[in-house]
Amino acid sequence: MLGNFMYCNPTRIYFGEDALDNLGTELEKYGNKIMLTYGGGSIKKSGLYDQVTEILKSCGKEILELPGVMPNPTTEKLYEGCRIARENDVDLILAVGGGSVCDYAKAVSVSAWCEEDPWDKYYLRMEDVDNRIIPVGCVLTMVGTGSEMNGGSVITNHESKLKIGHVFGDNVFPKFS
């Protein structure tokens, strides 16, 4: 092995066919308002949406849905998620999908309570988070980017024609995947 380094990954990662069985236990650690965010609807076709919402309901959680997260999530979608999270004082953002949905959830988690434009603060000036962070959990449908277990988040701003990633600290890592 080359060099010296320290590795820290605070995300609890569940593996295997029965991994979803752990969702209820994880949900017990958070308040009742869960923002469920997902992409174009493949989770509904596969039946995963029904499984996840059943677990959320059986745990007595209030579900606030935010579908339609696209590949390379946009600033417009980010601002929409921030508004919903703030207006409803969300306790946990549950991302169900692939890397873009996980990236998006982390972006909303740091941006919802940001007092200034999060695009400017986090993606242009690359500042650290100094405001309340909403915890994130992930239910993965595909792997590839590692977004389910890191602090990275990529957002696209079509107006400025920029796609920028920010790697946040371990306080932004998903709590579980």
Side-chain angles (χ1 to χ4, degrees):
M1 180 164 288
L2 297 174
N4 298 315
F5 67 94
M6 187 282 294
Y7 178 77
C8 172
N9 191 322
T11 304
R12 273 180 305 286
I13 303 172
Y14 296 95
F15 293 93
E17 290 181 26
D18 299 325
L20 194 57
D21 294 347
N22 297 288
L23 181 56
T25 302
E26 289 294 338
L27 291 172
E28 292 173 5
K29 301 171 187 172
Y30 303 96
N32 285 330
K33 292 184 181 180
I34 309 298
M35 184 160 73
L36 175 62
T37 186
Y38 53 93
S42 64
I43 67 165
K44 289 187 175 182
K45 293 175 193 160
S46 72
L48 182 58
Y49 172 86
D50 292 333
Q51 291 176 286
V52 169
T53 55
E54 180 57 38
I55 293 168
L56 288 165
K57 289 174 186 173
S58 71
C59 292
K61 302 299 182 181
E62 178 184 342
I63 305 168
L64 302 151
E65 290 195 38
L66 182 55
V69 176
M70 65 290 290
N72 304 310
T74 64
T75 50
E76 292 83 12
K77 192 71 174 172
L78 172 61
Y79 299 144
E80 176 188 2
C82 290
R83 180 185 52 76
I84 292 168
R86 265 193 324 270
E87 287 176 358
N88 294 283
D89 199 14
V90 167
D91 297 307
L92 175 75
I93 301 171
L94 184 61
V96 182
S100 290
V101 177
C102 296
D103 276 11
Y104 176 74
K106 289 180 281 184
V108 172
S109 80
V110 299
S111 300
W113 296 105
C114 183
E115 295 296 323
E116 55 189 289
D117 184 339
W119 171 256
D120 289 340
K121 180 174 180 139
Y122 298 131
Y123 295 92
L124 294 180
R125 297 194 313 262
M126 293 292 170
E127 293 181 15
D128 291 330
V129 181
D130 59 0
N131 52 263
R132 177 177 161 193
I133 299 170
I134 302 169
V136 171
C138 299
V139 176
L140 222 41
T141 59
M142 62 174 41
V143 297
T145 65
S147 188
E148 73 279 3
M149 58 177 192
N150 68 39
S153 176
V154 178
I155 296 295
T156 301
N157 184 319
H158 288 300
E159 185 178 311
S160 61
K161 295 182 170 84
L162 293 171
K163 177 180 170 182
I164 300 176
H166 185 144
V167 179
F168 296 97
D170 58 8
N171 56 341
V172 180
F173 282 46
K175 303 303 180 195
F176 62 88
S177 289

mmCIF file of all heavy atoms in Angstrom, residues 21-66:
data_model
loop_
_atom_site.group_PDB
_atom_site.id
_atom_site.type_symbol
_atom_site.label_atom_id
_atom_site.label_comp_id
_atom_site.label_asym_id
_atom_site.label_seq_id
_atom_site.Cartn_x
_atom_site.Cartn_y
_atom_site.Cartn_z
ATOM 1 N N ASP A 21 -35.199 -5.107 5.091
ATOM 2 C CA ASP A 21 -35.798 -5.420 6.390
ATOM 3 C C ASP A 21 -35.251 -4.538 7.513
ATOM 4 O O ASP A 21 -35.857 -4.436 8.578
ATOM 5 C CB ASP A 21 -35.564 -6.895 6.752
ATOM 6 C CG ASP A 21 -36.289 -7.846 5.822
ATOM 7 O OD1 ASP A 21 -37.168 -7.393 5.050
ATOM 8 O OD2 ASP A 21 -35.974 -9.054 5.855
ATOM 9 N N ASN A 22 -34.109 -3.906 7.287
ATOM 10 C CA ASN A 22 -33.488 -3.047 8.300
ATOM 11 C C ASN A 22 -34.002 -1.612 8.274
ATOM 12 O O ASN A 22 -33.682 -0.834 9.169
ATOM 13 C CB ASN A 22 -31.967 -3.047 8.106
ATOM 14 C CG ASN A 22 -31.388 -4.418 8.301
ATOM 15 O OD1 ASN A 22 -31.318 -4.920 9.408
ATOM 16 N ND2 ASN A 22 -30.988 -5.055 7.206
ATOM 17 N N LEU A 23 -34.783 -1.271 7.279
ATOM 18 C CA LEU A 23 -35.258 0.102 7.151
ATOM 19 C C LEU A 23 -36.079 0.540 8.364
ATOM 20 O O LEU A 23 -35.890 1.637 8.881
ATOM 21 C CB LEU A 23 -36.062 0.289 5.860
ATOM 22 C CG LEU A 23 -36.599 1.693 5.577
ATOM 23 C CD1 LEU A 23 -35.474 2.724 5.561
ATOM 24 C CD2 LEU A 23 -37.368 1.709 4.259
ATOM 25 N N GLY A 24 -36.963 -0.303 8.839
ATOM 26 C CA GLY A 24 -37.796 0.042 9.996
ATOM 27 C C GLY A 24 -36.963 0.372 11.225
ATOM 28 O O GLY A 24 -37.243 1.349 11.942
ATOM 29 N N THR A 25 -35.935 -0.404 11.475
ATOM 30 C CA THR A 25 -35.046 -0.160 12.616
ATOM 31 C C THR A 25 -34.342 1.179 12.464
ATOM 32 O O THR A 25 -34.212 1.939 13.431
ATOM 33 C CB THR A 25 -34.001 -1.292 12.733
ATOM 34 O OG1 THR A 25 -34.698 -2.531 12.877
ATOM 35 C CG2 THR A 25 -33.077 -1.071 13.908
ATOM 36 N N GLU A 26 -33.883 1.484 11.267
ATOM 37 C CA GLU A 26 -33.222 2.767 11.029
ATOM 38 C C GLU A 26 -34.195 3.929 11.200
ATOM 39 O O GLU A 26 -33.841 4.961 11.764
ATOM 40 C CB GLU A 26 -32.590 2.800 9.633
ATOM 41 C CG GLU A 26 -31.382 1.924 9.489
ATOM 42 C CD GLU A 26 -30.191 2.366 10.336
ATOM 43 O OE1 GLU A 26 -30.116 3.553 10.727
ATOM 44 O OE2 GLU A 26 -29.329 1.525 10.617
ATOM 45 N N LEU A 27 -35.416 3.771 10.726
ATOM 46 C CA LEU A 27 -36.407 4.855 10.797
ATOM 47 C C LEU A 27 -36.760 5.231 12.230
ATOM 48 O O LEU A 27 -37.141 6.381 12.500
ATOM 49 C CB LEU A 27 -37.669 4.467 10.033
ATOM 50 C CG LEU A 27 -37.535 4.388 8.518
ATOM 51 C CD1 LEU A 27 -38.799 3.803 7.906
ATOM 52 C CD2 LEU A 27 -37.210 5.751 7.906
ATOM 53 N N GLU A 28 -36.630 4.287 13.166
ATOM 54 C CA GLU A 28 -36.930 4.560 14.570
ATOM 55 C C GLU A 28 -36.066 5.679 15.138
ATOM 56 O O GLU A 28 -36.425 6.318 16.123
ATOM 57 C CB GLU A 28 -36.735 3.297 15.411
ATOM 58 C CG GLU A 28 -37.734 2.212 15.134
ATOM 59 C CD GLU A 28 -37.409 0.902 15.860
ATOM 60 O OE1 GLU A 28 -36.441 0.872 16.660
ATOM 61 O OE2 GLU A 28 -38.126 -0.076 15.616
ATOM 62 N N LYS A 29 -34.925 5.937 14.530
ATOM 63 C CA LYS A 29 -33.964 6.920 15.034
ATOM 64 C C LYS A 29 -34.303 8.352 14.635
ATOM 65 O O LYS A 29 -33.618 9.283 15.063
ATOM 66 C CB LYS A 29 -32.559 6.567 14.522
ATOM 67 C CG LYS A 29 -32.102 5.189 14.945
ATOM 68 C CD LYS A 29 -30.824 4.799 14.248
ATOM 69 C CE LYS A 29 -30.499 3.334 14.582
ATOM 70 N NZ LYS A 29 -29.373 2.854 13.790
ATOM 71 N N TYR A 30 -35.341 8.533 13.827
ATOM 72 C CA TYR A 30 -35.648 9.855 13.277
ATOM 73 C C TYR A 30 -37.101 10.224 13.556
ATOM 74 O O TYR A 30 -37.925 9.375 13.859
ATOM 75 C CB TYR A 30 -35.362 9.868 11.767
ATOM 76 C CG TYR A 30 -33.928 9.472 11.499
ATOM 77 C CD1 TYR A 30 -33.604 8.164 11.173
ATOM 78 C CD2 TYR A 30 -32.899 10.389 11.652
ATOM 79 C CE1 TYR A 30 -32.288 7.782 10.979
ATOM 80 C CE2 TYR A 30 -31.571 10.023 11.464
ATOM 81 C CZ TYR A 30 -31.277 8.709 11.131
ATOM 82 O OH TYR A 30 -29.976 8.336 10.957
ATOM 83 N N GLY A 31 -37.394 11.507 13.415
ATOM 84 C CA GLY A 31 -38.747 12.003 13.626
ATOM 85 C C GLY A 31 -39.725 11.459 12.596
ATOM 86 O O GLY A 31 -39.386 10.603 11.777
ATOM 87 N N ASN A 32 -40.931 11.981 12.625
ATOM 88 C CA ASN A 32 -42.023 11.417 11.831
ATOM 89 C C ASN A 32 -42.117 11.910 10.394
ATOM 90 O O ASN A 32 -42.759 11.269 9.576
ATOM 91 C CB ASN A 32 -43.358 11.671 12.525
ATOM 92 C CG ASN A 32 -43.526 10.755 13.712
ATOM 93 O OD1 ASN A 32 -43.008 9.645 13.734
ATOM 94 N ND2 ASN A 32 -44.240 11.220 14.722
ATOM 95 N N LYS A 33 -41.507 13.038 10.062
ATOM 96 C CA LYS A 33 -41.672 13.601 8.716
ATOM 97 C C LYS A 33 -40.522 13.157 7.813
ATOM 98 O O LYS A 33 -39.388 13.603 7.971
ATOM 99 C CB LYS A 33 -41.750 15.117 8.779
ATOM 100 C CG LYS A 33 -43.015 15.602 9.463
ATOM 101 C CD LYS A 33 -43.112 17.091 9.423
ATOM 102 C CE LYS A 33 -44.384 17.550 10.143
ATOM 103 N NZ LYS A 33 -44.483 19.004 10.118
ATOM 104 N N ILE A 34 -40.874 12.306 6.866
ATOM 105 C CA ILE A 34 -39.890 11.741 5.956
ATOM 106 C C ILE A 34 -40.158 12.255 4.543
ATOM 107 O O ILE A 34 -41.270 12.112 4.026
ATOM 108 C CB ILE A 34 -39.959 10.193 5.937
ATOM 109 C CG1 ILE A 34 -39.915 9.621 7.360
ATOM 110 C CG2 ILE A 34 -38.868 9.618 5.044
ATOM 111 C CD1 ILE A 34 -38.688 9.907 8.154
ATOM 112 N N MET A 35 -39.136 12.858 3.935
ATOM 113 C CA MET A 35 -39.260 13.250 2.537
ATOM 114 C C MET A 35 -38.722 12.100 1.698
ATOM 115 O O MET A 35 -37.538 11.779 1.754
ATOM 116 C CB MET A 35 -38.496 14.535 2.223
ATOM 117 C CG MET A 35 -38.720 14.988 0.793
ATOM 118 S SD MET A 35 -38.357 16.730 0.472
ATOM 119 C CE MET A 35 -36.592 16.717 0.532
ATOM 120 N N LEU A 36 -39.609 11.467 0.955
ATOM 121 C CA LEU A 36 -39.280 10.346 0.077
ATOM 122 C C LEU A 36 -38.998 10.908 -1.309
ATOM 123 O O LEU A 36 -39.874 11.475 -1.940
ATOM 124 C CB LEU A 36 -40.447 9.356 0.038
ATOM 125 C CG LEU A 36 -40.330 8.171 -0.914
ATOM 126 C CD1 LEU A 36 -39.146 7.290 -0.526
ATOM 127 C CD2 LEU A 36 -41.623 7.370 -0.904
ATOM 128 N N THR A 37 -37.762 10.765 -1.754
ATOM 129 C CA THR A 37 -37.390 11.306 -3.054
ATOM 130 C C THR A 37 -36.905 10.176 -3.956
ATOM 131 O O THR A 37 -36.246 9.252 -3.506
ATOM 132 C CB THR A 37 -36.342 12.436 -2.897
ATOM 133 O OG1 THR A 37 -36.097 13.027 -4.149
ATOM 134 C CG2 THR A 37 -35.065 11.947 -2.283
ATOM 135 N N TYR A 38 -37.328 10.255 -5.210
ATOM 136 C CA TYR A 38 -36.983 9.217 -6.179
ATOM 137 C C TYR A 38 -37.033 9.798 -7.584
ATOM 138 O O TYR A 38 -37.393 10.951 -7.772
ATOM 139 C CB TYR A 38 -37.892 7.994 -6.027
ATOM 140 C CG TYR A 38 -39.373 8.285 -6.072
ATOM 141 C CD1 TYR A 38 -40.085 8.206 -7.266
ATOM 142 C CD2 TYR A 38 -40.070 8.627 -4.915
ATOM 143 C CE1 TYR A 38 -41.451 8.465 -7.298
ATOM 144 C CE2 TYR A 38 -41.431 8.885 -4.938
ATOM 145 C CZ TYR A 38 -42.105 8.808 -6.136
ATOM 146 O OH TYR A 38 -43.453 9.069 -6.162
ATOM 147 N N GLY A 39 -36.672 8.982 -8.559
ATOM 148 C CA GLY A 39 -36.547 9.449 -9.941
ATOM 149 C C GLY A 39 -37.825 9.365 -10.738
ATOM 150 O O GLY A 39 -38.890 9.808 -10.307
ATOM 151 N N GLY A 40 -37.723 8.736 -11.887
ATOM 152 C CA GLY A 40 -38.801 8.734 -12.861
ATOM 153 C C GLY A 40 -39.903 7.723 -12.657
ATOM 154 O O GLY A 40 -40.864 7.715 -13.408
ATOM 155 N N GLY A 41 -39.799 6.871 -11.699
ATOM 156 C CA GLY A 41 -40.893 5.946 -11.439
ATOM 157 C C GLY A 41 -40.560 4.479 -11.574
ATOM 158 O O GLY A 41 -41.436 3.630 -11.410
ATOM 159 N N SER A 42 -39.309 4.138 -11.871
ATOM 160 C CA SER A 42 -38.957 2.712 -11.988
ATOM 161 C C SER A 42 -39.163 1.985 -10.665
ATOM 162 O O SER A 42 -39.435 0.787 -10.660
ATOM 163 C CB SER A 42 -37.519 2.534 -12.475
ATOM 164 O OG SER A 42 -36.605 3.045 -11.541
ATOM 165 N N ILE A 43 -39.082 2.719 -9.548
ATOM 166 C CA ILE A 43 -39.314 2.056 -8.261
ATOM 167 C C ILE A 43 -40.777 1.649 -8.101
ATOM 168 O O ILE A 43 -41.075 0.725 -7.358
ATOM 169 C CB ILE A 43 -38.842 2.904 -7.058
ATOM 170 C CG1 ILE A 43 -39.677 4.161 -6.873
ATOM 171 C CG2 ILE A 43 -37.368 3.215 -7.158
ATOM 172 C CD1 ILE A 43 -39.486 4.830 -5.522
ATOM 173 N N LYS A 44 -41.666 2.318 -8.808
ATOM 174 C CA LYS A 44 -43.078 1.917 -8.770
ATOM 175 C C LYS A 44 -43.294 0.673 -9.619
ATOM 176 O O LYS A 44 -44.004 -0.240 -9.214
ATOM 177 C CB LYS A 44 -43.980 3.065 -9.225
ATOM 178 C CG LYS A 44 -44.025 4.187 -8.205
ATOM 179 C CD LYS A 44 -45.048 5.239 -8.560
ATOM 180 C CE LYS A 44 -45.114 6.264 -7.431
ATOM 181 N NZ LYS A 44 -46.121 7.289 -7.666
ATOM 182 N N LYS A 45 -42.652 0.623 -10.784
ATOM 183 C CA LYS A 45 -42.782 -0.547 -11.666
ATOM 184 C C LYS A 45 -42.204 -1.800 -11.038
ATOM 185 O O LYS A 45 -42.729 -2.896 -11.217
ATOM 186 C CB LYS A 45 -42.098 -0.276 -13.005
ATOM 187 C CG LYS A 45 -42.766 0.789 -13.839
ATOM 188 C CD LYS A 45 -41.967 1.090 -15.098
ATOM 189 C CE LYS A 45 -42.483 2.368 -15.726
ATOM 190 N NZ LYS A 45 -41.516 2.968 -16.626
ATOM 191 N N SER A 46 -41.128 -1.643 -10.286
ATOM 192 C CA SER A 46 -40.454 -2.807 -9.682
ATOM 193 C C SER A 46 -41.132 -3.282 -8.403
ATOM 194 O O SER A 46 -40.837 -4.371 -7.918
ATOM 195 C CB SER A 46 -38.993 -2.464 -9.371
ATOM 196 O OG SER A 46 -38.921 -1.572 -8.267
ATOM 197 N N GLY A 47 -41.992 -2.448 -7.824
ATOM 198 C CA GLY A 47 -42.640 -2.798 -6.562
ATOM 199 C C GLY A 47 -41.904 -2.261 -5.334
ATOM 200 O O GLY A 47 -42.407 -2.362 -4.217
ATOM 201 N N LEU A 48 -40.724 -1.688 -5.525
ATOM 202 C CA LEU A 48 -39.942 -1.164 -4.401
ATOM 203 C C LEU A 48 -40.655 -0.001 -3.713
ATOM 204 O O LEU A 48 -40.640 0.108 -2.482
ATOM 205 C CB LEU A 48 -38.546 -0.736 -4.869
ATOM 206 C CG LEU A 48 -37.598 -0.223 -3.801
ATOM 207 C CD1 LEU A 48 -37.373 -1.271 -2.700
ATOM 208 C CD2 LEU A 48 -36.266 0.194 -4.425
ATOM 209 N N TYR A 49 -41.317 0.833 -4.489
ATOM 210 C CA TYR A 49 -42.066 1.959 -3.917
ATOM 211 C C TYR A 49 -43.089 1.451 -2.901
ATOM 212 O O TYR A 49 -43.182 1.969 -1.781
ATOM 213 C CB TYR A 49 -42.755 2.740 -5.029
ATOM 214 C CG TYR A 49 -43.704 3.797 -4.533
ATOM 215 C CD1 TYR A 49 -43.234 5.073 -4.220
ATOM 216 C CD2 TYR A 49 -45.063 3.534 -4.384
ATOM 217 C CE1 TYR A 49 -44.105 6.052 -3.759
ATOM 218 C CE2 TYR A 49 -45.934 4.507 -3.924
ATOM 219 C CZ TYR A 49 -45.457 5.764 -3.611
ATOM 220 O OH TYR A 49 -46.316 6.733 -3.150
ATOM 221 N N ASP A 50 -43.864 0.433 -3.280
ATOM 222 C CA ASP A 50 -44.877 -0.120 -2.373
ATOM 223 C C ASP A 50 -44.235 -0.690 -1.112
ATOM 224 O O ASP A 50 -44.759 -0.503 -0.009
ATOM 225 C CB ASP A 50 -45.695 -1.201 -3.081
ATOM 226 C CG ASP A 50 -46.577 -0.634 -4.183
ATOM 227 O OD1 ASP A 50 -46.966 0.548 -4.092
ATOM 228 O OD2 ASP A 50 -46.864 -1.374 -5.150
ATOM 229 N N GLN A 51 -43.105 -1.378 -1.267
ATOM 230 C CA GLN A 51 -42.420 -1.948 -0.108
ATOM 231 C C GLN A 51 -41.948 -0.846 0.844
ATOM 232 O O GLN A 51 -42.152 -0.946 2.059
ATOM 233 C CB GLN A 51 -41.209 -2.778 -0.550
ATOM 234 C CG GLN A 51 -41.551 -4.058 -1.267
ATOM 235 C CD GLN A 51 -40.277 -4.742 -1.747
ATOM 236 O OE1 GLN A 51 -39.657 -4.293 -2.704
ATOM 237 N NE2 GLN A 51 -39.910 -5.807 -1.061
ATOM 238 N N VAL A 52 -41.316 0.181 0.291
ATOM 239 C CA VAL A 52 -40.776 1.258 1.122
ATOM 240 C C VAL A 52 -41.898 2.028 1.804
ATOM 241 O O VAL A 52 -41.828 2.313 3.002
ATOM 242 C CB VAL A 52 -39.869 2.197 0.287
ATOM 243 C CG1 VAL A 52 -39.521 3.467 1.060
ATOM 244 C CG2 VAL A 52 -38.598 1.470 -0.140
ATOM 245 N N THR A 53 -42.947 2.396 1.066
ATOM 246 C CA THR A 53 -44.038 3.168 1.680
ATOM 247 C C THR A 53 -44.766 2.349 2.732
ATOM 248 O O THR A 53 -45.218 2.901 3.736
ATOM 249 C CB THR A 53 -45.022 3.721 0.627
ATOM 250 O OG1 THR A 53 -45.526 2.660 -0.179
ATOM 251 C CG2 THR A 53 -44.352 4.775 -0.242
ATOM 252 N N GLU A 54 -44.869 1.049 2.544
ATOM 253 C CA GLU A 54 -45.490 0.187 3.556
ATOM 254 C C GLU A 54 -44.664 0.207 4.845
ATOM 255 O O GLU A 54 -45.221 0.290 5.950
ATOM 256 C CB GLU A 54 -45.642 -1.249 3.035
ATOM 257 C CG GLU A 54 -46.281 -2.201 4.036
ATOM 258 C CD GLU A 54 -47.655 -1.761 4.528
ATOM 259 O OE1 GLU A 54 -48.433 -1.216 3.721
ATOM 260 O OE2 GLU A 54 -47.949 -1.957 5.733
ATOM 261 N N ILE A 55 -43.352 0.141 4.714
ATOM 262 C CA ILE A 55 -42.479 0.197 5.897
ATOM 263 C C ILE A 55 -42.619 1.563 6.578
ATOM 264 O O ILE A 55 -42.744 1.641 7.807
ATOM 265 C CB ILE A 55 -41.009 -0.087 5.512
ATOM 266 C CG1 ILE A 55 -40.859 -1.537 5.056
ATOM 267 C CG2 ILE A 55 -40.073 0.215 6.685
ATOM 268 C CD1 ILE A 55 -39.534 -1.858 4.374
ATOM 269 N N LEU A 56 -42.601 2.629 5.790
ATOM 270 C CA LEU A 56 -42.757 3.970 6.360
ATOM 271 C C LEU A 56 -44.072 4.097 7.119
ATOM 272 O O LEU A 56 -44.115 4.609 8.242
ATOM 273 C CB LEU A 56 -42.678 5.028 5.255
ATOM 274 C CG LEU A 56 -41.294 5.273 4.654
ATOM 275 C CD1 LEU A 56 -41.408 6.049 3.348
ATOM 276 C CD2 LEU A 56 -40.401 6.010 5.631
ATOM 277 N N LYS A 57 -45.165 3.627 6.516
ATOM 278 C CA LYS A 57 -46.475 3.706 7.165
ATOM 279 C C LYS A 57 -46.536 2.841 8.421
ATOM 280 O O LYS A 57 -47.092 3.263 9.441
ATOM 281 C CB LYS A 57 -47.569 3.291 6.182
ATOM 282 C CG LYS A 57 -47.791 4.310 5.080
ATOM 283 C CD LYS A 57 -48.777 3.811 4.047
ATOM 284 C CE LYS A 57 -48.883 4.774 2.878
ATOM 285 N NZ LYS A 57 -49.718 4.226 1.794
ATOM 286 N N SER A 58 -45.954 1.646 8.365
ATOM 287 C CA SER A 58 -45.989 0.758 9.534
ATOM 288 C C SER A 58 -45.175 1.335 10.695
ATOM 289 O O SER A 58 -45.416 0.989 11.846
ATOM 290 C CB SER A 58 -45.489 -0.643 9.177
ATOM 291 O OG SER A 58 -44.099 -0.642 8.945
ATOM 292 N N CYS A 59 -44.252 2.239 10.386
ATOM 293 C CA CYS A 59 -43.463 2.918 11.420
ATOM 294 C C CYS A 59 -44.122 4.224 11.858
ATOM 295 O O CYS A 59 -43.553 4.970 12.667
ATOM 296 C CB CYS A 59 -42.048 3.200 10.907
ATOM 297 S SG CYS A 59 -41.049 1.734 10.649
ATOM 298 N N GLY A 60 -45.303 4.507 11.320
ATOM 299 C CA GLY A 60 -46.037 5.709 11.705
ATOM 300 C C GLY A 60 -45.466 6.995 11.144
ATOM 301 O O GLY A 60 -45.671 8.072 11.714
ATOM 302 N N LYS A 61 -44.776 6.912 10.020
ATOM 303 C CA LYS A 61 -44.138 8.098 9.448
ATOM 304 C C LYS A 61 -45.079 8.829 8.498
ATOM 305 O O LYS A 61 -45.876 8.220 7.799
ATOM 306 C CB LYS A 61 -42.867 7.705 8.681
ATOM 307 C CG LYS A 61 -41.838 6.970 9.518
ATOM 308 C CD LYS A 61 -41.333 7.794 10.684
ATOM 309 C CE LYS A 61 -40.266 7.049 11.462
ATOM 310 N NZ LYS A 61 -39.767 7.796 12.611
ATOM 311 N N GLU A 62 -44.961 10.145 8.498
ATOM 312 C CA GLU A 62 -45.669 10.989 7.530
ATOM 313 C C GLU A 62 -44.769 11.096 6.310
ATOM 314 O O GLU A 62 -43.601 11.482 6.416
ATOM 315 C CB GLU A 62 -45.917 12.369 8.128
ATOM 316 C CG GLU A 62 -46.597 13.330 7.192
ATOM 317 C CD GLU A 62 -46.749 14.726 7.784
ATOM 318 O OE1 GLU A 62 -46.653 14.883 9.016
ATOM 319 O OE2 GLU A 62 -46.954 15.667 6.984
ATOM 320 N N ILE A 63 -45.306 10.769 5.141
ATOM 321 C CA ILE A 63 -44.514 10.728 3.914
ATOM 322 C C ILE A 63 -44.795 11.971 3.075
ATOM 323 O O ILE A 63 -45.945 12.251 2.731
ATOM 324 C CB ILE A 63 -44.843 9.469 3.084
ATOM 325 C CG1 ILE A 63 -44.657 8.206 3.919
ATOM 326 C CG2 ILE A 63 -43.984 9.428 1.825
ATOM 327 C CD1 ILE A 63 -45.240 6.956 3.271
ATOM 328 N N LEU A 64 -43.730 12.693 2.747
ATOM 329 C CA LEU A 64 -43.806 13.823 1.823
ATOM 330 C C LEU A 64 -43.037 13.393 0.589
ATOM 331 O O LEU A 64 -41.835 13.195 0.649
ATOM 332 C CB LEU A 64 -43.163 15.059 2.450
ATOM 333 C CG LEU A 64 -43.793 15.479 3.775
ATOM 334 C CD1 LEU A 64 -42.801 16.165 4.661
ATOM 335 C CD2 LEU A 64 -44.987 16.348 3.496
ATOM 336 N N GLU A 65 -43.735 13.217 -0.516
ATOM 337 C CA GLU A 65 -43.089 12.697 -1.726
ATOM 338 C C GLU A 65 -42.518 13.802 -2.594
ATOM 339 O O GLU A 65 -43.138 14.839 -2.779
ATOM 340 C CB GLU A 65 -44.082 11.873 -2.548
ATOM 341 C CG GLU A 65 -44.425 10.569 -1.882
ATOM 342 C CD GLU A 65 -45.100 9.591 -2.816
ATOM 343 O OE1 GLU A 65 -44.726 9.523 -4.013
ATOM 344 O OE2 GLU A 65 -46.005 8.895 -2.340
ATOM 345 N N LEU A 66 -41.330 13.513 -3.126
ATOM 346 C CA LEU A 66 -40.692 14.401 -4.086
ATOM 347 C C LEU A 66 -40.128 13.538 -5.211
ATOM 348 O O LEU A 66 -38.963 13.176 -5.219
ATOM 349 C CB LEU A 66 -39.586 15.222 -3.428
ATOM 350 C CG LEU A 66 -38.878 16.236 -4.323
ATOM 351 C CD1 LEU A 66 -39.876 17.187 -4.978
ATOM 352 C CD2 LEU A 66 -37.869 17.026 -3.525
#
